[in-house]
Amino acid sequence: MKNFWTMVLLMSVIGIGSTTRILAQKIISKSTLKDKIKGGWAGQTIGVTFGWPSEFQYQGTFIQDYETIKWHDDYVNEAMTSFPGLFDDVYVDLTFVEVFDRLGLDAPADSFAKAFAASQYQLWHANQAGRYNIQQGIPAVKSGHWLNNPHADDIDFQIESDFIGLMSPGMPNTASDISDKVGHIMNSGDGWYGGVFISNMYALAFINNDISYIVNTALKAIPVQSKFYQCIADVVKWHKLYPTDWKRTWFEVQKKWAEDVGCPSMVFHPLNIDAKINAAYVVIGLLYGQGDFTKTLEISTRAGQDSDCNPSSAAGILGVILGYDKIPQKWITPLKKAEHRDFSFTKVSLNKVYEMGYNHALKNILKNGGSVRDDQVIITISAPKTVRFEENFAGHFPVGRISLAKTFQDKLEFNMNGIGFVIRGYAHKKKANAAAHVLQGALFIDGREVERANFPTGANQARTDLFWRYQLAKGDHKVKIEILNPHPDYEFVTVDYLVYDSKPLRLPGEL
């Protein structure tokens, strides 16, 4: 270790009955701890701002070297003013940080879900699906499950798990425990693993500045049988094979892992919001960036797809390794001009969360066997334990997207063949000044009612997709949607429906 680290490693031998446990401890100064926490928050804010113009503009390709990515001395302020919704990577974190601040480190999962459900900022995909589920009374432990949330493998929890690692320095298992409590509000399976992995990397970045070590050690928290683990393990392997060519590794990732299975908007589309492939771009940026802040930002952004979120994660982790004071002035100067500003629909600025995050980290260190002495903090270090195995969409393969561009005020029927479907659409208020009304719809499959759901028209209360059903018996099915409380000023709008079968689609000539 170098830079600000106090070069001390204590091995404490603790007797427990006839068992002896050896715990590693790390001594760090308070000022260094705070500097690294600030570096993490600063890095992710810089990263999301840098990736702002290219978000989802490069789908299945990367940003060429000759293309200059915009940056200037007041860019963070410009982004916060022009597009507050850009900072969902940060403001969702802040909702959960505030829960810890109000209720303490033992705040229950439902308290996070309640705060999340009451939020007024823009959300999309798994986040909005989870928020809707909580608002409709689905418990926090189930609102991110793929049977309740078709976006369960999306990137959402991955991009807002940073705060967990920042409050768990050197304690990856503590980060995993918090991830379990918070992450299942909006995700499960690979979508949950994205947050576990990112938060573990943040936690490890406090005690080691070897990026390869951080990536490989954090990956131990993820079950080896998961596709998330396999994707990231492939990136590590390809980095060893092509250590100077990030684009070659990017191509290998694209060939093997670019197929989205779950997200109703992204299947059969070059746009990919899946957690594992975007996490692969984070790791590509970290490994090939070689500890250089600018190079890491450039590569993780140029990899494309969710190109604001990926540099946000990569720069946040590297910001912990370097510390706030070592982030190059090119990047930190515009940030400093905006550190006093509250993020969208919050009462928290970067200046405020620097202090909140530091206080939460100190409390978490004490709670988990560490201590604070004068200007020193002693962290009890834990090796990552593998979290439980979860798999979304097991045995489900998308085989078709059928156009269904319609509006209706009573009912809609169609026939499909497969084991599952997702109907994309929404409830629509035909007149802006229409009286308040929430449509209620019922889903019938083969003549049997299987679900009723409410359909508010407000963006923060909306259901992300009309209806979905998985795990059907293989074969033909008759699907019907019926509006139970029709209103002349309201209607359902459908776009298309995605069909799943028990075997993957094979094109003519394929084996």
Side-chain angles (χ1 to χ4, degrees):
M1 299 296 169
K2 56 183 178 178
N3 298 333
F4 299 101
W5 281 107
T6 304
M7 297 294 293
V8 180
L9 186 64
L10 302 177
M11 303 305 292
S12 302
V13 179
I14 304 174
I16 306 177
S18 59
T19 304
T20 298
R21 198 157 46 100
I22 298 179
L23 300 177
Q25 293 184 318
K26 185 74 183 182
I27 296 179
I28 181 175
S29 71
K30 287 181 177 179
S31 59
T32 299
L33 177 64
K34 188 171 186 178
D35 184 59
K36 289 180 174 292
I37 290 170
K38 287 181 64 177
W41 284 105
Q44 64 171 310
T45 307
I46 291 166
V48 71
T49 307
F50 185 62
W52 170 25
S54 58
E55 180 185 16
F56 293 123
Q57 297 301 305
Y58 293 80
Q59 304 170 13
T61 187
F62 50 73
I63 303 174
Q64 298 294 332
D65 294 341
Y66 58 73
E67 297 182 65
T68 301
I69 302 175
K70 183 179 179 181
W71 188 259
H72 60 71
D73 280 353
D74 204 32
Y75 202 33
V76 179
N77 266 321
E78 180 184 328
M80 292 183 77
T81 301
S82 301
F83 183 24
L86 171 70
F87 294 93
D88 55 335
D89 301 59
V90 181
Y91 57 58
V92 177
D93 297 46
L94 299 181
T95 295
F96 302 134
V97 168
E98 288 186 294
V99 172
F100 277 121
D101 210 52
R102 290 197 318 270
L103 302 179
L105 298 184
D106 294 322
D110 286 346
S111 62
F112 298 100
K114 183 178 179 180
F116 187 62
S119 62
Q120 295 300 309
Y121 40 61
Q122 289 178 284
L123 291 175
W124 301 269
H125 291 270
N127 272 334
Q128 179 55 31
R131 179 163 65 177
Y132 168 88
N133 284 344
I134 297 296
Q135 291 168 346
Q136 297 298 317
I138 294 178
V141 294
K142 295 181 179 180
S143 59
H145 193 279
W146 68 284
L147 294 179
N148 299 320
N149 188 331
H151 301 266
D153 273 340
D154 290 359
I155 197 176
D156 301 61
F157 179 52
Q158 180 169 296
I159 70 173
E160 55 218 21
S161 61
D162 314 69
F163 81 97
I164 297 172
L166 289 169
M167 66 181 289
S168 308
M171 301 178 292
N173 292 322
T174 301
S176 293
D177 289 343
I178 298 172
S179 295
D180 193 5
K181 187 185 296 187
V182 176
H184 285 101
I185 293 172
M186 66 290 293
N187 286 96
S188 57
D190 282 354
W192 175 52
Y193 293 147
V196 174
F197 178 61
I198 294 293
S199 65
N200 270 247
M201 284 201 289
Y202 268 99
L204 292 163
F206 283 91
I207 59 171
N208 201 301
N209 58 11
D210 183 328
I211 292 170
S212 180
Y213 168 86
I214 290 168
V215 170
N216 283 283
T217 305
L219 192 55
K220 293 179 180 178
I222 310 301
V224 296
Q225 65 268 48
S226 69
K227 291 182 175 65
F228 188 96
Y229 178 98
Q230 293 162 19
C231 178
I232 303 304
D234 276 345
V235 174
V236 172
K237 176 185 68 178
W238 292 324
H239 173 252
K240 291 177 180 177
L241 288 173
Y242 318 112
T244 62
D245 189 355
W246 74 264
K247 294 175 185 175
R248 175 63 186 269
T249 294
W250 182 95
F251 272 114
E252 297 297 335
V253 170
Q254 188 70 15
K255 284 191 293 183
K256 187 172 180 179
W257 294 107
E259 292 183 359
D260 197 345
V261 172
C263 179
S265 303
M266 308 306 169
V267 175
F268 298 118
H269 195 286
L271 196 155
N272 197 322
I273 202 169
D274 185 80
K276 58 183 172 291
I277 193 169
N278 284 284
Y281 298 156
V282 173
V283 174
I284 288 172
L286 285 168
L287 291 176
Y288 285 94
Q290 299 175 310
D292 181 283
F293 195 84
T294 299
K295 191 175 179 181
T296 299
L297 270 178
E298 287 276 351
I299 293 173
S300 53
T301 303
R302 290 183 183 276
Q305 295 294 2
D306 204 346
S307 64
D308 65 326
C309 295
N310 300 330
S312 179
S313 297
I317 292 162
L318 189 56
V320 174
I321 294 173
L322 297 175
Y324 181 93
D325 289 342
K326 292 294 185 181
I327 296 175
Q329 286 303 306
K330 171 185 176 179
W331 303 105
I332 209 71
T333 297
L335 184 85
K336 286 182 176 180
K337 294 179 180 180
E339 286 178 320
H340 66 286
R341 295 185 60 168
D342 293 346
F343 286 92
S344 176
F345 292 100
T346 79
K347 295 181 180 180
V348 183
S349 64
L350 281 171
N351 282 334
K352 186 173 181 179
V353 80
Y354 293 155
E355 296 296 329
M356 295 168 72
Y358 173 65
N359 291 331
H360 295 166
L362 289 179
K363 291 177 181 178
N364 221 3
I365 288 166
L366 291 171
K367 181 183 178 183
N368 289 278
S371 59
V372 179
R373 301 175 185 172
D374 299 323
D375 188 43
Q376 291 183 332
V377 178
I378 302 175
I379 302 170
T380 299
I381 301 168
S382 60
K385 297 178 183 177
T386 305
V387 300
R388 67 183 176 276
F389 177 63
E390 299 179 354
E391 184 178 12
N392 298 331
F393 310 104
H396 285 64
F397 301 92
V399 294
R401 180 184 295 282
I402 314 300
S403 177
L404 195 66
K406 295 179 180 293
T407 61
F408 64 97
Q409 294 181 280
D410 49 5
K411 65 181 179 179
L412 172 74
E413 296 180 277
F414 63 89
N415 297 318
M416 54 81 63
N417 180 280
I419 64 168
F421 61 87
V422 182
I423 305 169
R424 292 202 304 149
Y426 53 92
H428 176 241
K429 184 191 293 186
K430 296 168 66 176
K431 299 178 180 179
N433 61 348
H437 184 72
V438 175
L439 289 179
Q440 186 179 61
L443 175 66
F444 296 81
I445 299 178
D446 301 327
R448 183 173 66 90
E449 183 179 332
V450 296
E451 183 183 8
R452 291 190 178 197
N454 295 319
F455 293 86
T457 56
N460 290 352
Q461 295 79 38
R463 185 166 159 112
T464 55
D465 303 280
L466 277 182
F467 282 105
W468 57 89
R469 210 70 179 177
Y470 306 106
Q471 300 178 330
L472 298 174
K474 183 177 175 64
D476 294 323
H477 297 283
K478 184 175 183 178
V479 179
K480 182 175 76 169
I481 297 174
E482 184 176 327
I483 297 178
L484 302 177
N485 60 340
H487 188 288
D489 294 336
Y490 289 77
E491 62 188 359
F492 274 171
V493 178
T494 55
V495 179
D496 54 33
Y497 64 94
L498 186 65
V499 180
Y500 288 88
D501 207 344
S502 56
K503 293 182 179 179
L505 177 68
R506 296 300 183 195
L507 298 176
E510 286 189 313
L511 298 177

